[in-house]
């Protein structure tokens, strides 16, 4: 599959279109969830959109902090240079910090916000995985996907993950009444972590860090967040009122 | 708070141990041997043969060391910023990593490509993709695009655009580490 769509003289990244499409689905899922609870809708959406903007800006322009000498010697670099893992990490730290600060200032319970995030991220991940092919190891199973020639079929890892996400979403929706104490977020994290991790074992991994891939680190982190958070299941945090 | 942090680390360490063990048992290289050629990470490198500006023929068959393939053009701004970095990395990783700088001659001119290579002191093979076949084979839609290939011909990484001096250097280093 090509990486870009060609529209006349313009090249538009396929991945970018999928990310925008997935974000739209995630946004509307969040709006629907917000309608069902008593909370300042505009405030939550503002915080979320601003944090995404901070993430994108830090990813793109974070190079100023990491390579100040290089950027100062050639300011044009700031336009040409693409973001990397370090600037993405910086973006996550800054946007997370911003979210916590805004929530604290406005008296919004953090656990409620985390629960709302799971309602937004599951549809996002579903759409993203449905349209982004990820090739696993070769398989003889009839639903294997090919790279063009039909000689070799590969596990459609993205579809497997999409199926897991649908199942997790159904489970989380059934538990909607518990929104507000962070349990939905913890459960979603744990289940996404387990399913994602299992799928990494049927797909080639690269760029290993201490013997495991960045994806596996990410899923292990999610699982750990879920496991540690669920230990606090009997938390006394107030639940949000449901209309 | 400290206890929670400790719990977190213990669980993460346990998970790391489990994943590490499964990865080892999974023997990735054995599984990759049967993978077909495609311009994607973890797939075999699509093979090609091109003539360089030194009139020698260069191909991807029988690689003796890891290979970095860089697609560029003389009119491309980011390529101009990246060029000195490639020269410096070639000096640093000489004899450990091979660089093929493929000029998109189908959308450039041979004389401009030669002038560019001379201006920046390219001391690695500069190949001319006169009809754009290799760029098509590698799905090159933006330049610079750089592929990092292990000695056994597997694509281990790819950068679209100029990722910065440090990112480029770390990818070279990673390529060398894989072989060691």
């Amino acid at each position: 599959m090509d990486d870009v769509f060609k529209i006349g003289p313009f090249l538009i990244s396929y991945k970018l279109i999928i990310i925008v499409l997935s974000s739209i689905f995630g946004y509307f899922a969040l709006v629907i969830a917000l309608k069902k609870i008593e909370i300042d809708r505009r405030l939550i959406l503002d915080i979320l959109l601003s944090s995404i903007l901070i993430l994108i800006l830090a990813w793109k322009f974070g190079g100023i902090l990491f390579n100040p000498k290089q950027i100062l010697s050639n300011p044009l670099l700031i336009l040409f240079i693409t973001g990397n893992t370090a600037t993405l990490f910086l973006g996550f730290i800054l946007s997370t910090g911003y979210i916590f600060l805004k929530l604290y200032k406005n008296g919004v319970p953090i656990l409620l916000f985390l629960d709302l995030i799971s309602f937004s991220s599951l549809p996002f991940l579903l759409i993203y995985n449905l349209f982004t092919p990820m090739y696993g190891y070769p398989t003889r199973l009839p639903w294997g996907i090919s790279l063009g020639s039909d000689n070799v079929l590969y596990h459609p890892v993205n579809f497997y993950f999409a199926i897991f996400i649908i199942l997790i979403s159904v489970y989380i929706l059934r538990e909607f009444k518990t929104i507000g104490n962070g349990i939905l977020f913890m459960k979603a994290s744990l289940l996404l972590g387990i399913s994602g991790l299992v799928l990494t074992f049927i797909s080639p991994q690269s760029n290993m860090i201490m013997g495991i891939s960045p994806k596996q680190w990410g899923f292990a982190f999610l699982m750990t967040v879920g496991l540690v958070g669920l230990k606090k299941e009997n938390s006394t945090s107030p639940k949000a009122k449901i209309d | 708070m400290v206890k929670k942090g400790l719990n977190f680390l213990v669980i993460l360490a346990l998970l790391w141990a489990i994943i590490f063990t499964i990865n080892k048992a999974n023997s990735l290289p054995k599984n990759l041997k049967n993978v077909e050629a495609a311009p994607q990470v973890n797939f075999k490198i699509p093979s090609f043969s091109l003539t360089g500006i030194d009139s020698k023929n260069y191909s991807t068959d029988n690689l003796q060391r890891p290979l970095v393939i860089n697609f560029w053009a003389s009119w491309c701004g980011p390529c101009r910023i990246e060029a000195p970095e490639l020269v410096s990395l070639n000096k640093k990783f000489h004899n450990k990593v091979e660089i093929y700088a493929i000029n998109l001659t189908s959308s450039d001119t041979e004389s401009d490509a030669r002038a560019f290579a001379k201006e920046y002191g390219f001391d690695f093979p500069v190949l001319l993709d006169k009809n754009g076949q290799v760029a098509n084979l590698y799905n090159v839609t933006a330049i610079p695009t750089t592929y990092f290939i292990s000695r056994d011909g597997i694509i281990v990484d790819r950068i679209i655009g100029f990722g910065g001096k440090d990112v480029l250097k770390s990818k070279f280093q990673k390529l060398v580490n894989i072989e060691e």
Side-chain angles (χ1 to χ4, degrees):
Chain A
M1 189 188 65
D2 285 343
D3 288 339
V4 291
F5 279 128
K6 287 179 186 170
I7 304 172
F10 300 106
L11 296 177
I12 302 169
S13 162
Y14 178 82
K15 212 166 191 174
L16 190 69
I17 293 171
I18 299 305
I19 288 174
V20 170
L21 190 70
S22 310
S23 305
I24 292 169
F25 270 81
Y27 178 82
F28 282 111
L30 181 66
V31 169
I32 292 168
L34 282 170
K35 277 183 182 169
K36 293 188 183 297
I37 56 174
E38 274 179 22
I39 196 164
D40 184 351
R41 247 176 268 168
R42 183 175 277 184
L43 173 71
I44 297 290
L45 292 174
D46 276 354
I47 293 174
L48 200 67
L49 291 177
S50 303
S51 67
I52 291 170
L53 192 68
I54 290 170
L55 178 72
I56 294 169
L57 291 175
W59 170 75
K60 175 66 186 166
F61 299 112
I64 300 170
L65 292 174
F66 292 102
N67 292 307
K69 219 171 149 187
Q70 208 183 357
I71 303 278
L72 285 173
S73 64
N74 186 357
L76 264 182
L77 258 181
I78 202 65
L79 294 176
F80 291 140
I81 209 162
T82 51
N84 56 51
T85 317
T87 58
L88 186 67
F89 190 66
L90 173 77
F92 271 118
I93 291 174
L94 289 178
S95 59
T96 308
Y98 171 80
I99 288 171
F100 278 97
L101 192 72
K102 289 297 271 186
L103 292 179
Y104 178 75
K105 270 189 173 175
N106 291 285
V108 179
I110 288 170
L111 293 175
L112 170 66
F113 186 81
L114 290 177
D115 279 348
L116 286 168
I117 290 288
S118 38
F119 279 98
S120 178
S121 52
L122 285 168
F124 174 90
L125 289 171
L126 176 65
I127 302 299
Y128 182 81
N129 279 283
L130 278 177
F131 294 101
T132 312
M134 272 181 261
Y135 300 91
Y137 285 136
T139 177
R140 287 183 183 161
L141 293 167
W143 54 80
I145 50 172
S146 70
L147 267 165
S149 69
D150 288 336
N151 300 338
V152 189
L153 296 175
Y154 301 91
H155 281 292
V157 175
N158 58 309
F159 283 123
Y160 296 161
F161 199 33
I163 292 167
F164 278 127
I165 292 166
I166 291 170
L167 295 175
I168 296 167
S169 303
V170 170
Y171 175 71
I172 295 296
L173 277 175
R174 283 169 62 109
E175 302 273 308
F176 186 81
K177 57 185 180 297
T178 65
I179 193 167
N181 53 14
I183 290 175
L184 289 183
F185 175 78
M186 302 306 169
K187 284 183 176 171
S189 297
L190 178 63
L191 294 171
L192 278 174
I194 294 171
S195 46
L197 191 58
V198 167
L199 293 175
T200 62
F201 298 130
I202 58 161
S203 52
Q205 300 298 306
S206 53
N207 298 325
M208 307 305 234
I209 303 163
M210 290 169 69
I212 78 175
S213 72
K215 251 188 198 174
Q216 290 174 325
W217 273 114
F219 289 126
F221 181 81
L222 270 182
M223 273 181 75
T224 313
V225 166
L227 282 170
V228 173
L230 284 174
K231 280 185 84 176
K232 278 188 69 200
E233 196 164 348
N234 295 327
S235 160
T236 51
S237 301
K239 289 179 186 177
K241 282 182 189 169
I242 299 174
D243 290 338
Chain B
M1 193 70 181
V2 176
K3 199 182 163 191
K4 235 188 286 172
L6 206 64
N7 278 346
F8 189 90
L9 288 178
V10 169
I11 294 172
L12 197 61
L14 271 171
L15 284 171
W16 169 79
I18 295 166
I19 301 165
F20 182 80
T21 312
I22 297 174
N23 279 353
K24 282 279 167 201
N26 224 1
S27 61
L28 299 177
K30 203 167 70 188
N31 285 323
L32 282 170
K33 287 248 161 91
N34 300 322
V35 172
E36 61 190 311
Q40 294 200 34
V41 172
N42 289 323
F43 283 85
K44 269 187 190 164
I45 174 179
S47 61
F48 64 83
S49 175
L50 283 176
T51 307
I53 53 172
D54 55 1
S55 302
K56 283 184 188 166
N57 217 43
Y58 295 92
S59 87
T60 50
D61 300 331
N62 303 319
L63 295 177
Q64 298 302 311
R65 49 195 149 157
L67 176 67
V68 172
I69 299 178
N70 177 258
F71 290 92
W72 64 279
S74 63
W75 46 261
C76 148
C79 302
R80 287 197 172 271
I81 298 165
E82 191 182 52
E85 308 304 341
L86 280 177
V87 173
S88 130
L89 287 167
N90 186 48
K91 277 196 183 89
K92 186 173 166 60
F93 293 95
H94 193 59
N95 290 332
K96 286 183 179 168
V97 177
E98 181 94 47
I99 300 176
Y100 285 174
I102 301 183
N103 173 258
L104 303 188
T105 324
S106 55
S107 59
D108 204 349
T109 64
E110 200 173 322
S111 56
D112 283 349
R114 282 177 192 278
F116 186 98
K118 196 177 170 191
E119 183 186 346
Y120 289 98
F122 279 5
D123 45 3
F124 38 79
V126 177
L127 318 185
L128 302 170
D129 187 16
K130 288 181 180 171
N131 50 18
Q133 253 180 352
V134 177
N136 278 340
L137 200 62
Y138 280 77
N139 273 350
V140 176
T141 48
I143 47 171
T145 289
T146 311
Y147 282 87
F148 298 84
I149 297 132
S150 66
R151 199 160 58 106
D152 50 1
I154 301 292
I155 299 171
V156 294
D157 217 331
R158 179 178 72 160
I159 306 178
I160 296 175
F162 175 48
K165 183 182 172 182
D166 294 339
V167 172
L168 208 55
K169 188 179 163 190
S170 73
K171 306 274 181 200
F172 269 75
Q173 190 60 56
K174 208 177 280 173
L175 209 49
V176 172
N177 293 346
I178 290 171
E179 300 300 324
E180 284 171 355

